Each structure stands twice: as C-alpha cells, then as structure tokens.
Amino acid sequence: MDFSDPPLENTTMKLILAASLVAGASALQMPLAGKVGASRVSAPVKLDRRGMLAGVAAALVAAPALAEYTVPDLPYDYEALEPYIDAATMRFHHDKHHAAYVANVNKALVGKSEKSILDLQKDAIAAGPAVRNSGGGHYNHAMFWEEMGAPTGKGPSGELAAKIDEAFGSFDKFKEEFSAKSAGRFGSGWCWLGVKADGKLAIDTTPNQDNPLMDGGCETKMIPILGLDVWEHAYYLKYQNRRPEYISGFFNVINWEKVASNYAQYASKGVGIPF
C-alpha cells in the first residue's frame, strides 16, 4: 500500500496554467487600452523573462487552492479503546492506513469536480478502482472512528433500541447476527447496520472498502449507521487470526449515542451521514 505523502499535482497544474496564460499574453503582444478619442492604441506590451515570472507568481497567489479531503482527528486518545482495541493498532490504522486512502483518493480526483466524501459514494464504483477503494476507505473509516469511544457498559436506548428489537427480536439477537456476519465475511471487508428504504434496520457485509451507499456496493440497499472494519489491519496486532474475539471486543467500545444520532438525524430521514 502506498503510504507516501499526498501528490503535488494541484500546485503543478496551477503553475502550468499560470505560465501558459502569461506566455500567451506575451506572444499575442496584448495592447494597452488607447486614450479616449485617440486614433490608435499604444504600442504592444512586451514581457521579458522577469515580467513573465512575476506574472506566474501573481497567478499562483491569486489562484484558489482546490479542496482536498483530509484525515479527521480521532475524537479520543489512541489509548481510549483499551483493552479491546490497542493503541498501537489505532495509531497504525488511523495515521497510516486511513491517511493512505485520503492521499490516494485526492490523487485520483485531481482536475475533477469537487464533491463531499458522502456525495462521492453513490457513483464510486462506476468512477473506477481508485475512487471506489480509496474514496470508500476514507468514508468508511471516518464513520468508524466516530462510532467508537471509551468503554461505558451502555447499550442502545430509546428509539434505536426499539428499532433493533423490532428488526431482530432483541439486542442479544442483533449482536449474534452482527457477530456471525462479521466473522463470516470472507477476506477483507466491513459489516454494517443500516436503515432500509422502508425504515427497518438490516445487517449486511461488503467486500474491501465498498459500503451500502455505493450503487452496486451491497446486496441490501440501506444507509449505514454502524460499521465494523474486519480487514486484518484493524485487529491483527492484538488478535492475530482471532477475528471473533475482536468482534466481541468491538461491542464494548461502540458509542451508542453517536449511532443513535446517525439514525435519528440522518438515516431515518433517508439521508447518509456526512463527514
């Protein structure tokens, strides 16, 4: 995986554009406006090399920078999820893996129209592997960090708890199904709790960095409110090949207040969670 710094294409493109504009003006011998009533305009302006470089510099300063996605800060310390998710994994996962997704999606979108990371998801598969994998990876991880927090021992409550009981029979049955599907996702991917178009909750999994917001990304069309990363990089330092133990530990660090907010403010209204 490429962990290099984000590319500099934006700056390079602006430099080329500015140089072209200034060079073009010089070649065309752009005239100054003539005096009112004058029979002819003044002599053409000729730009020497120093003038051209000054024009390039001025254009670079004036040109607006293209927006780029950035890695969000964790809403808690690296150690906050201990002992269920270790600090070393959090540092590596957030600072390296997530950063690589952000760098690569920014690279893939150079010169293209700007979209929020939420709006990018719908057509991500059609946009090609770079946007699908890295754009999906950025969105998925942004949700993942925010839906977790220091262990509190609390579960879902209120409307979300009622919806879970309605869909699965009880919270324990929800945990059982979510855990089984997370463990059963072959290879790398995610397990999701989401809201379908009929307002009911459902669980499904996706491969790699796909998510249910993508057209063709998930068998169950729904808006995700909770996601579990089951790529090995999310747990291997602590759990090695013991994915079921990692899944069990995950339930201790879910921030159910945040998940409830994802449901009430967005998904229940048919809107994806923005980041």
Side-chain angles (χ1 to χ4, degrees):
M1 182 172 289
D2 179 15
F3 292 152
S4 60
D5 291 334
L8 299 177
E9 281 91 342
N10 288 350
T11 301
T12 304
M13 287 177 65
K14 288 190 291 184
L15 179 60
I16 293 171
L17 176 60
S20 298
L21 289 173
V22 176
S26 178
L28 292 173
Q29 302 283 300
M30 292 179 64
L32 294 175
K35 296 181 181 180
V36 176
S39 59
R40 60 183 179 86
V41 296
S42 57
V45 176
K46 293 185 178 180
L47 296 178
D48 58 13
R49 184 175 181 180
R50 180 176 298 177
M52 183 178 293
L53 292 175
V56 170
L60 287 174
V61 171
L66 295 177
E68 290 188 335
Y69 302 124
T70 58
V71 180
D73 293 335
L74 291 175
Y76 38 75
D77 293 334
Y78 293 106
E79 298 82 6
L81 308 183
E82 295 271 12
Y84 304 104
I85 300 180
D86 58 294
T89 294
M90 289 300 296
R91 289 181 185 277
F92 186 70
H93 197 175
H94 176 269
D95 296 358
K96 298 296 185 182
H97 284 277
H98 192 173
Y101 293 128
V102 170
N104 288 332
V105 71
N106 283 336
K107 180 179 179 180
L109 294 176
V110 167
K112 296 181 173 63
S113 59
E114 297 176 17
K115 291 184 178 180
S116 70
I117 192 62
L118 172 61
D119 290 339
L120 189 69
Q121 300 309 299
K122 185 178 187 301
D123 298 320
I125 293 177
V131 174
R132 177 181 189 174
N133 296 330
S134 296
H138 178 30
Y139 184 88
N140 297 349
H141 285 85
M143 176 179 286
F144 189 52
W145 310 134
E146 289 201 0
E147 73 190 23
M148 295 190 291
T152 64
K154 296 180 180 179
S157 60
E159 185 179 8
L160 178 59
K163 284 291 184 180
I164 288 175
D165 289 346
E166 175 189 342
F168 307 105
S170 68
F171 180 66
D172 286 340
K173 290 181 178 179
F174 157 71
K175 284 180 63 176
E176 182 179 345
E177 182 175 339
F178 190 93
S179 298
K181 288 189 174 180
S182 298
R185 163 44 64 184
F186 181 77
S188 301
W190 291 74
C191 187
W192 305 97
L193 173 66
V195 181
K196 298 186 295 182
D198 62 6
K200 295 182 179 180
L201 300 183
I203 298 169
D204 208 343
T205 66
T206 56
N208 303 315
Q209 294 299 344
D210 289 358
N211 64 56
L213 296 173
M214 297 177 178
D215 285 346
C218 185
E219 289 187 9
T220 304
K221 191 67 177 178
M222 60 184 183
I223 297 174
I225 60 174
L226 173 72
L228 174 60
D229 187 348
V230 293
W231 282 63
E232 284 190 341
H233 66 235
Y235 62 86
Y236 201 84
L237 289 180
K238 180 175 178 66
Y239 295 99
Q240 288 80 54
N241 64 335
R242 303 188 305 277
R243 185 189 286 185
E245 290 184 35
Y246 161 67
I247 296 166
S248 177
F250 172 68
F251 278 96
N252 293 284
V253 296
I254 296 175
N255 180 350
W256 283 108
E257 290 185 0
K258 177 59 179 174
V259 179
S261 175
N262 289 345
Y263 170 79
Q265 292 188 37
Y266 301 104
S268 66
K269 301 174 182 177
V271 179
I273 292 84
F275 294 102

